[in-house]
Amino acid sequence: MEGFAAQLSDSELDLLKKLPGVVAVRPDTRLQLHTTYSYKFMGLTPAREDAWYQSGFGHGTIIGVLDTGVWPESPSFNDRGMPPVPGKWKGICQQGQDFDSSNCNRKLIGARFFTKASPANTIQEYASPRDSHGHGTHTSSTAGGASVPKASVLGNGGGVARGMAPGAHIAVYKVCWTNGCYSSDILAAMDTAIRDGVDVLSLSIGGFPLPLFADSIAIGSFRAVEHGISVVCAAGNSGPLQYSVANEAPWIATIGASTLDREFPAIVQLGNGEFLSGESMFPGNEFPSTTKEFELVYAPAGGKKGSEFCFAGSLPKVKIQGKMVVCDRGVNGRAEKGQVVKQSGGAAMILANTAINMEEDSVDVHVLPATLVGFTESLRLKAYINSTRNPRARIVFGGTVIGKSRAPAVAQFSARGPSFTNPSVLKPDVIAPGVNIIAAWPQNLGPTGLPEDSRRVNFTVMSGTSMACPHVSGIAALIRSAHPKWSPAAVKSAMLTTADVTDHSGNPRVFAMGAGHVNPQRAIYPGLIYDIKPEDYVTHLCTLGYTRSEIFTITHRNASCSELLKMNKGFSLNYPSISVIFRQGTRRKMMRRKLTNVGRPNSIYSVELKAPEGVKVRVKPTKLHFKQRNQVLSYRLWFISRKRMTREKLSFAEGHLTWINSQNHLTRIRSPISVTWKRK
């Protein structure tokens, strides 16, 4: 036994800490969830040359999802055409409230629930793997859901719903409850998933950045990676703040959120004839009366504090009855505001972004005719309301439109780097679709998830890095299926070095999008990979200055840093992205990287370099000739800072290094380079 969870008094805690053999005592922390078309947007089709076909749609791989549970009756978990359960599987279908072994099949092969930290008997929800919230059903179907034809959300976003790895098996571990997800339950579930035999672990959960020795997800995932399991986590929704990225351990694949080129237009026509662009998934086309013009009202006179946000009980019925209410975004939920307006007698709602959300456009299946407008449009809207005694407007719903917007772009809410605890590794790793994602939904909830919403659907829309994470978990399953012997680091390298760099907004970009937007088509056959062994991470922790007991807490390995660093002089982690930090007084840095040929024998690669501004970069050698498959060749990089230290505490620059196959020029292994100058 390496550890246990217990409820202790302060005196018991002090006593336990003093016992010999007790390495660390960590408080239980409460973490939060990082809350049909995306596979097409990412280039996945059932054609013969496609990544789906080449990987057998993910057949044989098992994706473990830690979340709020699952709604097993959803058509996304139908096992028609699925192969038998893999022989290595040791998991179970745990019995509980409204859930037993008959709820599992060849698609949903396992389900468990963990309640020690947040006892289910104190919570009004299913004491079983059954999902009361929808989040877990949504994420697990995104990762490995079966094909469901004619899927839509009340007529919007129609098409075939499919997970990223529709041939993979799914195992669900319910660790999140009404009051959050506790780290002891998460750690217990990760331990169990390792024993059960999963290939990929998907966690759309996290908190704020923590030192690795205090981060239960980092500790549990190191154990998983030692057992050859890829761990994929959400980066968090605290963007666009710098240093907000969570789940930043170098052995985790950390995923930010991007947009799709699909829109749900719901345009506001003002009484003065002007139009404001907005978006909504309210099924307006099914209700002709929704296009009626209404009187507009914002923060009505006589309203209570918070009426501009449409808080419950803040809107006076007499002032908003039969009117279109403008609600500022923030504090309470978006769909919740619509419910407040509806209960107060309002006829429709315009949700107005503030300076915090800018133009970010997460849509909802509102309970009344409603639309969301960006910050620029919200300023025009309020100027119009203030310019006339009788402001009026109507909403014109436009259904689903594909291909009109510039995408992928980094979502406004997606957490940003650099990593707070470990800036020597670039985080997030990649971005994936996380805005307005349609996926499976429980039949006991309305599409908004609000208790008052009596509508029932099999699919709904959600946004968050929570939605981006399972896209990459599914792609990791495809890669594992095509290359079952690859290490988690190899799988991650394949995704990072083949990612698309398409978003050109924001500065610096690497801290928003990492290596770029994941491209499953190219990731299946990357040509070369950067591999990392678990012991390399231990040496890396030594270079960060972690103590022996801290390293033992994280890795359960008794490491002597002085010996490791003596044996590995000039060590740099063989990470697919490159992060350089110049502190005051430092002008030069040298790094070493090793590439493994997973492509054809007799392959020659030449280097292409875009040096970050203010830095001279030398690479040696500039050509790599791989005579055999699985051959490993190394190269070195020298970074020389040409920039004078300014008064700014921090400054950044970025570039990239790409190895290009000399024979076909199509195989490109790209590493982003980030450079940071720190005064202290």
Side-chain angles (χ1 to χ4, degrees):
M1 185 172 76
E2 295 183 323
F4 63 92
Q7 290 186 333
L8 303 171
S9 67
D10 287 347
S11 57
E12 288 169 330
L13 175 66
D14 291 339
L15 192 67
L16 195 65
K17 279 180 174 173
K18 288 170 187 164
L19 287 177
V22 174
V23 176
V25 182
R26 284 190 306 280
D28 209 2
T29 52
R30 188 172 68 170
L31 302 175
Q32 298 300 332
L33 294 160
H34 285 153
T35 289
T36 53
Y37 156 78
S38 52
Y39 64 87
K40 280 187 187 171
F41 179 71
M42 296 171 84
L44 289 169
T45 59
R48 273 188 167 270
E49 64 282 358
D50 180 84
W52 264 349
Y53 193 88
Q54 292 166 344
S55 67
F57 295 83
H59 279 182
T61 53
I62 303 165
I63 305 171
V65 182
L66 274 66
D67 214 298
T68 64
V70 67
W71 192 264
E73 293 82 6
S74 163
S76 291
F77 306 114
N78 187 304
D79 67 351
R80 197 182 299 113
M82 282 295 293
V85 176
K88 65 172 185 169
W89 178 243
K90 296 184 180 70
I92 61 164
C93 211
Q94 189 179 352
Q95 197 161 341
Q97 188 182 347
D98 289 348
F99 202 98
D100 60 31
S101 58
S102 69
N103 291 118
C104 288
N105 57 21
R106 294 192 309 275
K107 166 57 78 178
L108 180 64
I109 63 171
R112 298 179 186 260
F113 65 106
F114 297 81
T115 60
K116 290 288 193 297
S118 48
N121 55 16
T122 65
I123 302 162
Q124 294 304 303
E125 57 186 304
Y126 298 106
S128 74
R130 187 171 287 280
D131 188 1
S132 309
H133 301 275
H135 192 278
T137 301
H138 200 279
T139 55
S140 48
S141 70
T142 301
S147 295
V148 182
K150 296 180 182 172
S152 75
V153 186
L154 301 176
N156 278 321
V160 180
R162 280 190 180 103
M164 289 294 107
H169 306 279
I170 296 168
V172 165
Y173 300 84
K174 182 175 174 178
V175 296
C176 296
W177 304 83
T178 300
N179 56 1
C181 327
Y182 284 86
S183 55
S184 56
D185 284 340
I186 293 167
L187 204 48
M190 291 177 96
D191 264 355
T192 307
I194 293 167
R195 285 198 299 273
D196 284 350
V198 302
D199 298 298
V200 179
L201 271 174
S202 186
L203 290 87
S204 293
I205 304 167
F208 293 100
L210 289 169
L212 297 179
F213 57 81
D215 184 343
S216 291
I217 292 177
I219 293 164
S221 59
F222 184 83
R223 222 65 91 252
V225 165
E226 279 186 308
H227 286 84
I229 298 163
S230 293
V231 183
V232 184
C233 293
N237 298 338
S238 303
L241 292 173
Q242 275 194 330
Y243 294 102
S244 59
V245 64
N247 295 321
E248 48 192 345
W251 45 87
I252 289 173
T254 311
I255 315 304
S258 63
T259 58
L260 293 170
D261 65 347
R262 175 178 62 186
E263 293 177 338
F264 306 97
I267 292 157
V268 179
Q269 186 178 0
L270 300 175
N272 63 3
E274 285 188 39
F275 291 92
L276 305 177
S277 58
E279 284 197 68
S280 175
M281 280 190 76
F282 179 81
N285 291 344
E286 294 179 23
F287 302 95
S289 61
T290 55
T291 55
K292 194 177 149 190
E293 190 175 76
F294 297 102
E295 189 182 330
L296 265 177
V297 58
Y298 171 62
K304 291 181 184 166
K305 194 177 177 189
S307 63
E308 71 275 25
F309 290 108
C310 302
F311 289 164
S314 70
L315 299 173
K317 273 194 177 180
V318 64
K319 297 279 181 167
I320 71 159
Q321 189 79 38
K323 295 176 185 175
M324 185 179 287
V325 183
V326 177
C327 302
D328 281 342
R329 192 167 157 191
V331 192
N332 54 340
R334 299 185 303 266
E336 188 188 321
K337 294 172 192 285
Q339 182 63 36
V340 170
V341 171
K342 187 179 181 182
Q343 281 174 339
S344 305
M349 174 181 74
I350 301 174
L351 199 52
N353 272 7
T354 63
I356 295 169
N357 310 105
M358 297 304 287
E359 308 309 316
E360 194 257 299
D361 58 348
S362 300
V363 301
D364 298 276
V365 194
H366 291 284
V367 293
L368 82 173
T371 187
L372 169 78
V373 297
F375 181 52
T376 308
E377 302 291 58
S378 75
L379 295 177
R380 286 176 60 204
L381 171 67
K382 288 167 188 174
Y384 164 67
I385 292 171
N386 293 332
S387 72
T388 175
R389 280 186 162 179
N390 184 27
R392 301 184 70 78
R394 66 160 54 92
I395 302 172
V396 182
F397 293 95
T400 308
V401 175
I402 286 171
K404 286 283 171 75
S405 64
R406 184 182 138 275
V410 179
Q412 176 82 357
F413 58 75
S414 187
R416 306 302 205 257
S419 165
F420 186 70
T421 61
N422 182 9
S424 63
V425 169
L426 181 61
K427 292 285 179 172
D429 287 302
V430 285
I431 54 173
V435 179
N436 303 334
I437 303 303
I438 294 172
W441 196 243
Q443 273 284 303
N444 67 330
L445 289 171
T448 60
L450 295 170
E452 302 88 349
D453 190 352
S454 59
R455 300 170 296 175
R456 292 294 176 260
V457 290
N458 277 323
F459 297 89
T460 198
V461 67
M462 292 183 89
S463 296
T465 53
S466 274
M467 283 64 251
C469 167
H471 278 89
V472 176
S473 307
I475 293 163
L478 296 180
I479 298 169
R480 289 294 295 256
S481 203
H483 310 284
K485 291 188 176 162
W486 278 14
S487 69
V491 172
K492 181 158 72 163
S493 172
M495 293 191 285
L496 265 66
T497 58
T498 58
D500 295 325
V501 189
T502 45
D503 183 79
H504 296 292
S505 64
N507 191 25
R509 292 196 318 274
V510 286
F511 296 136
M513 63 193 301
H517 192 273
V518 68
N519 181 330
Q521 196 63 40
R522 292 178 57 210
I524 293 286
Y525 295 110
L528 306 175
I529 51 125
Y530 292 91
D531 210 355
I532 303 172
K533 294 184 176 74
E535 50 268 32
D536 297 335
Y537 293 119
V538 179
T539 310
H540 175 67
L541 293 174
C542 287
T543 66
L544 297 179
Y546 279 96
T547 66
R548 192 174 193 143
S549 70
E550 286 166 351
I551 291 172
F552 189 82
T553 300
I554 299 162
T555 65
H556 286 211
R557 293 179 181 219
N558 206 351
S560 164
C561 280
S562 55
E563 280 178 34
L564 278 174
L565 294 175
K566 204 183 286 178
M567 283 161 53
N568 296 279
K569 277 202 165 72
F571 175 86
S572 48
L573 188 66
N574 198 39
Y575 212 73
S577 52
I578 297 161
S579 185
V580 183
I581 299 162
F582 288 113
R583 289 184 170 83
Q584 206 156 9
T586 314
R587 299 290 303 275
R588 287 170 169 267
K589 285 268 170 155
M590 191 274 279
M591 288 186 180
R592 188 179 278 107
R593 289 288 191 271
K594 288 185 291 188
L595 281 162
T596 305
N597 179 31
V598 292
R600 291 180 176 169
N602 285 319
S603 297
I604 299 167
Y605 287 84
S606 303
V607 77
E608 176 187 275
L609 185 69
K610 185 186 181 296
E613 200 176 325
V615 181
K616 184 184 176 185
V617 185
R618 275 179 57 220
V619 183
K620 201 172 178 183
T622 55
K623 260 194 175 62
L624 295 172
H625 184 184
F626 294 93
K627 291 174 181 168
Q628 296 154 335
R629 196 173 157 84
N630 296 320
Q631 186 183 350
V632 179
L633 293 176
S634 65
Y635 66 93
R636 287 188 290 177
L637 299 119
W638 287 266
F639 297 90
I640 300 138
S641 172
R642 291 177 157 172
K643 184 173 174 168
R644 287 181 182 277
M645 280 285 181
T646 59
R647 290 196 169 190
E648 296 169 46
K649 277 190 176 174
L650 279 174
S651 57
F652 306 99
E654 59 184 70
H656 60 82
L657 174 146
T658 309
W659 290 97
I660 302 167
N661 188 307
S662 303
Q663 287 107 312
N664 67 16
H665 295 284
L666 295 173
T667 307
R668 301 168 73 87
I669 296 88
R670 184 185 182 278
S671 294
I673 301 171
S674 76
V675 177
T676 305
W677 287 269
K678 275 186 167 182
R679 274 180 71 83
K680 286 185 179 178

